[in-house]
Amino acid sequence: MATCAEPSTEAERLTAHLNTAAKCGQRASITGTVSSQIPALAAVPATKFAMAVATVDGALLHTGDSAEPFSIQSLSKLFALCVLLQQCPDAWLEIGWGPTNAGYGSVADLERNNGRPANPFVNSGAIVVTDRLITHRGDPVGATIGLLRSVDPHAAVTSDARVALSETLTGHRNSAIAHVLAEHGVLQNPIDHVLQQYFGQCAITANVQTIARAALFLADRTGNNNPLDEASVRRVNAVLLTSGMYGAAGDIAYRIGLPAKSGIGGGIVAIMPGRGTICVWSPPLDRDGNSAGAIAAIEEFARLARWSVF
Ligand code: GLU
């Protein structure tokens, strides 16, 4: 006979793991520092914490500030890439798929490779994705928001003009990257327009529930109603595992074993193929630029739920 204390259904078990993992993440968050790279984000309270788990069976579990939209920053690179792959499954040939030891904003790496980005999750690759979305879709920000809203058309997803302007005024490194790309003839659209769209895309705000649900198609192995073909889903997950977590990909593969994407706003989304997704928001970042609290929470949840691709 089951006792009251023993969770019986899968959803109850996952909820118990989520609550344990969230506490673990909150404890770890005090070891990090909120990023000041974009001045408008420097004042986000360090104590914010939200976690959501969405499963392919349709369950959505969440805790903390999970209704509050946050600046998704580089998480947008993942969704913008998927929008492009819907239209151009061979876009990889132009944006690359290999890992790099250089920082995500390295101008030198791009220059060394004659204007060829390493992958879509470093800034040069993401800026090329935005450029191609201008060519194919006209409105990269709108198209990326569209994919984020695909599960819930009423989800609160917008681009924060204040954050986009703040990055426009201070984003010299991204501006340099765009100029190097243009110098090598890689961009198809005017530099200023590409940067404006790229900053607008990074400034998208959404909550952890929306992101966890919107990323579910990357965990879907049935192929039913998936916006991407099967090969693209497999490739996106592979490149997330090798390049989604800045310089910490090897560490995260060893500790957690899930494809994941990180952003300087403190968000991380992780994919467990065949099972579901996890999204955590906790603003303080560790030395690699990943949310300290989000990594700890995802690590604990993955351990308890035995979610790993290995
Ligand atoms: N907008 C930021 C940039 O392009 C995003 C950085 C990040 O989240 O990794 O530098």
Side-chain angles (χ1 to χ4, degrees), residues 73-305:
Q73 291 300 318
S74 276
L75 305 191
S76 72
K77 294 174 181 170
L78 168 61
F79 294 97
L81 169 70
C82 292
V83 175
L84 181 63
L85 291 174
Q86 281 180 282
Q87 208 130 13
C88 315
D90 293 332
W92 296 107
L93 299 172
E94 294 181 302
I95 51 186
W97 58 83
T100 171
N101 281 335
Y104 68 91
S106 176
V107 183
D109 202 38
L110 183 64
E111 188 61 5
R112 238 189 333 267
N113 292 307
N114 298 316
R116 198 182 145 73
N119 65 64
F121 302 133
V122 294
N123 287 6
S124 56
I127 288 171
V128 174
V129 168
T130 304
D131 175 66
R132 298 306 190 263
L133 282 177
I134 295 173
T135 301
H136 295 288
R137 299 289 297 261
D139 175 13
V141 180
T144 305
I145 289 176
L147 182 58
L148 282 162
R149 283 211 188 110
S150 54
V151 177
D152 175 6
H154 302 295
V157 188
T158 53
S159 175
D160 184 336
R162 197 180 61 92
V163 172
L165 177 64
S166 180
E167 188 166 17
T168 304
L169 297 174
T170 55
H172 307 302
R173 181 173 288 278
N174 283 322
S175 178
I177 287 171
H179 281 270
V180 172
L181 288 168
E183 163 70 21
H184 287 280
V186 177
L187 295 185
Q188 298 175 346
N189 297 281
I191 295 173
D192 287 348
H193 186 45
V194 174
L195 283 171
Q196 180 221 347
Q197 288 292 314
Y198 174 72
F199 293 144
Q201 169 202 307
C202 289
I204 289 174
T205 62
N207 66 37
V208 288
Q209 299 178 59
T210 299
I211 293 168
R213 292 177 76 191
L216 264 179
F217 69 87
L218 291 170
D220 175 21
R221 283 187 157 158
T222 68
N224 296 335
N225 301 319
N226 200 311
L228 288 186
D229 61 84
E230 212 181 308
S232 295
V233 168
R234 221 172 36 231
R235 289 170 177 160
V236 170
N237 279 313
V239 179
L240 281 176
L241 189 73
T242 50
S243 304
M245 298 293 289
Y246 308 125
D251 184 44
I252 299 303
Y254 173 85
R255 284 167 58 187
I256 301 177
L258 294 177
K261 183 74 201 89
S262 183
I264 57 166
I268 297 181
V269 60
I271 317 295
M272 173 62 198
R275 301 292 295 279
T277 59
I278 312 165
C279 183
V280 181
W281 171 46
S282 172
L285 309 183
D286 65 15
R287 272 185 304 182
D288 293 310
N290 295 309
S291 164
I295 287 185
I298 293 170
E299 184 175 20
E300 183 65 358
F301 181 88
R303 187 184 72 78
L304 292 167

Side-chain angles (χ1 to χ4, degrees), residues 22 25-30 34 41 43-51 63-71 208 265-267 280-285 291-294:
Q26 271 168 310
R27 277 196 300 275
S29 69
I30 58 168
V34 178
L41 293 179
V44 175
T47 49
K48 293 284 179 189
F49 189 94
M51 180 166 185
T63 186
D65 301 306
S66 58
E68 189 169 328
F70 66 95
S71 192
V208 288
V280 181
W281 171 46
S282 172
L285 309 183
S291 164

